[in-house]
Amino acid sequence: MILVKLNLSSLNDDQLKVVTAEKGKHLVLAGAGTGKTRTLTYRTAYLIEKGMSPENMLLLTFTNKAARNMMFQASSLISGNRGRINGGTFHSIANRYLRTHGKLIGLDNNFSIIDSEDQRDLVKATVAETLGKLDHYFPTPRVLIEMFSNSINKNQDLEDVVVQNSPQSFEYMKEIFDVYAAYTKRKWNANCLDYDDLLICWHRLLADFSEESKELFFHEDILVDEFQDTNKIQGEIVDLLANVNGGKLTVVGDDCQSIFAFRGAVYENILEFKDRHEDVKIHYLKRNYRSTSQVLNLANDIIKNNKKQFYKELVPASKSVGPRPRIMPLPNVNAEATWVAKKIAERFQDGFRLSEMAVLYRNHSHSAFLQAELVKRNIPYQIRSGVRFLEQAHIKDVVAHLKILINSKDEIAWTRVIGMCPGIGAVRSRKLIKEILKSKNIADLGQDFGKDLLPEKAYRNWVIFFNEILSLSSLNHQEHSTAKDLIVKIMESSYSDYLQVKYKNASNREDDINQLAQLSDSYKSLKSFISDFVLLGEMFGSDVVAGTDKGERLILSTIHQSKGLEWDMIWIIRACDSSFCGPRTVSNDDIEEERRVFYVAVTRAKRFLTFTYPIIANEWGGANTKFQGSDMNKPCRFLLEGNDSLDKPFRSSFIY
């Protein structure tokens, strides 16, 4: 057959071997920037040109966008109209097959798929029906859903998930089990599936009906993208599909870019692939089309320290030369933000486009100071790592506490604060606020305030809650108290418990509040901080500063959100050891995962790469612990592993 559009001469030797490989089991280890998507697209087109029916293939991806792009590109490479390629995300393919064959497991084909909002409503109704009225500290529907999903995607017992992620909720373990059982039954009776159910049911079809599967789920070839990101159940689905079609399977991924363990990705899926399947042919893609040799030297020096991996040394496809990666220690987080913002402005003045620059960081909270500095300098930016810092609900919670200290008649702030008190609903809240607004200041209300307005049980909760407000007000009137002192005091109150049960990812939110405390430290008074906070919040709410080309925006992103992207010029901030190998990084596997995260950050850069970190650290120990003050940061240990590839290597030794 003549390959009309498929120009195989455009592929390098390693890519060509993958594209033209005989049918069988193939593990393609594609390093960063080595043309993974192009190779998989060409293999798809090649198989079709060789006579395979597009409908009899199966292409599995992680996003709908990736699936559409890959299928469109593959279709554009083949001659004539060969039909639609059978491909999509794991969830979309599961939905398709369950519509057709779900009756085998008792599922009607007209089932509904419930989205995250529907899930919250259903869990909320299930809690009310199963348990009735609960105390204020029972996990919210959002937190419960995260527990259930983690249990499924990480293949962990629900109890272990609660102990690991929400230990403060362990006292409700029986009630959580009851809700989970009732929620599962309720979905099934309503003929509804959530996203996790789609995978569970597809897996059940393949595992329980293996003989039927040979006819129902046979594919001439199966191709899987980003295999390193598969979770336990997705990995087993791929294995079961391969058993159905006799092992005609190509999985593509990079073990060195496996960085999503926190959401259930199982590193062993790719690492042990050759152990689970016989006669696997392993292919390496090592020629990098993105970065200069200077950037790649650093990346290679770092990742070679991982013990569990398929090591592959990336080599540059181009002979273009760039500067060595640079590291810049700065006195503190304020100086770091100022220096980075200044350099970005200078590079922009030199003719570099903002859209070709990015600032990456390990945690979203690390961007707080930089966001404030960018706003002050009128530098437009786009956030890829979540909600803008000052718009986050938990930040607004803390600020509401601070607002009532300087304006006791702030009805909006009071409404938010009182809403955090157990047993106080909207009606009782309005009664309390009506009386509060009659007083000149909080202290005048007295410790018995609310006794005549609330029933006995609600009042017992209110006494504890309001005494914390009075204590906060008392601290605010002390001569040398600061906004930081008040924020730390809030985190030592019952708000810390509220944070744990109200929001998922509570530990990350604690980090955000820590950053808020540090951000406030440069202000002489609480009033000036709150005034600036509101003004900054208004400016933070606009993605693009007026008068700027809409496409010209600096990118701010967590490293995880940056995966698959690239920029000409990158700053990696907070490149200190506490950011990557903090107290939650305890095992060798944890450290190797963080090393992969660091490697992903480095390999986003095309030419210019700069690391910064604050020498002085201001951190607290977390919930219910007192502020620990200043400490000295060490540069990230992974930078020292690549010391010889840096512009100015470290001359002093650090102990980790």
Side-chain angles (χ1 to χ4, degrees), residues 91 94 98 114 152 180 183-184 187 192-203:
H91 293 88
L98 289 172
I114 55 177
I152 293 166
Y180 181 61
Y183 169 63
T184 303
K187 284 185 296 179
C192 292
L193 302 180
D194 60 29
Y195 294 132
D196 292 330
D197 293 330
L198 290 170
L199 298 184
I200 292 170
C201 290
W202 188 17
H203 182 280

Side-chain angles (χ1 to χ4, degrees), residues 132-396:
K133 192 173 180 63
L134 292 165
D135 70 56
H136 195 64
Y137 294 108
F138 188 76
T140 63
R142 192 186 299 270
V143 173
L144 287 169
I145 289 166
E146 184 182 36
M147 291 175 181
F148 302 159
S149 186
N150 278 336
S151 175
I152 293 166
N153 289 308
K154 294 183 178 181
N155 195 36
Q156 281 184 294
D157 289 338
L158 183 56
E159 184 173 335
D160 293 338
V161 169
V162 173
V163 169
Q164 182 177 326
N165 299 329
S166 305
Q168 74 287 343
S169 298
F170 185 72
E171 62 179 295
Y172 303 109
M173 200 63 242
K174 180 184 180 302
E175 290 82 358
I176 291 171
F177 273 125
D178 290 344
V179 171
Y180 181 61
Y183 169 63
T184 303
K185 183 177 180 180
R186 195 164 182 164
K187 284 185 296 179
W188 194 258
N189 289 342
N191 200 33
C192 292
L193 302 180
D194 60 29
Y195 294 132
D196 292 330
D197 293 330
L198 290 170
L199 298 184
I200 292 170
C201 290
W202 188 17
H203 182 280
R204 185 178 163 193
L205 268 177
L206 288 164
D208 294 354
F209 297 89
S210 55
E211 287 304 313
E212 292 87 343
S213 293
K214 291 176 183 178
E215 179 180 348
L216 301 177
F217 303 113
F218 178 82
H219 303 93
E220 290 188 62
D221 216 320
I222 301 164
L223 301 98
V224 186
D225 190 22
E226 301 288 5
F227 190 64
Q228 78 282 346
D229 293 336
T230 52
N231 60 30
K232 176 73 172 178
I233 196 167
Q234 288 166 333
E236 289 180 359
I237 285 171
V238 171
D239 290 345
L240 289 166
L241 285 169
N243 290 339
V244 169
N245 81 343
K248 299 176 183 66
L249 171 67
T250 301
V251 299
V252 182
D254 183 6
D255 55 300
C256 295
Q257 295 186 75
S258 179
I259 61 172
F260 291 107
F262 68 93
R263 70 182 188 196
V266 177
Y267 183 54
E268 288 74 19
N269 281 352
I270 191 167
L271 199 66
E272 298 173 359
F273 182 79
K274 67 181 188 307
D275 299 325
R276 297 195 310 276
H277 297 273
E278 296 179 354
D279 303 321
V280 174
K281 173 69 174 177
I282 299 178
H283 308 262
Y284 290 88
L285 300 183
K286 297 183 287 187
R287 187 176 300 179
N288 178 285
Y289 293 88
R290 175 185 298 153
S291 307
T292 62
S293 60
Q294 287 73 23
V295 171
L296 295 182
N297 287 342
L298 177 62
N300 289 328
D301 285 348
I302 291 170
I303 201 62
K304 70 183 181 183
N305 291 279
N306 270 8
K307 304 300 182 187
K308 295 181 179 180
Q309 65 164 311
F310 294 100
Y311 181 67
K312 48 199 167 296
E313 183 170 320
L314 297 178
V315 295
S318 169
K319 294 183 180 180
S320 61
V321 176
R324 285 187 172 199
R326 179 186 184 190
I327 185 161
M328 177 59 66
L330 292 148
N332 52 47
V333 288
N334 286 296
E336 181 184 39
T338 300
W339 188 86
V340 171
K342 180 173 178 284
K343 290 299 177 183
I344 290 167
E346 289 174 356
R347 297 291 82 81
F348 182 66
Q349 291 298 320
D350 291 341
F352 289 92
R353 295 176 62 86
L354 288 175
S355 57
E356 274 296 309
M357 305 182 205
V359 180
L360 306 183
Y361 34 84
R362 179 61 179 82
N363 295 317
H364 183 50
S365 61
H366 296 161
S367 69
F369 283 82
L370 181 62
Q371 287 190 55
E373 192 64 32
L374 294 172
V375 168
K376 291 175 184 177
R377 292 173 180 265
N378 211 34
I379 298 175
Y381 65 92
Q382 178 182 352
I383 296 282
R384 287 186 178 268
S385 52
V387 179
R388 286 169 177 263
F389 183 76
L390 302 183
E391 296 171 358
Q392 298 177 105
H394 50 290
I395 297 297
K396 288 186 174 183

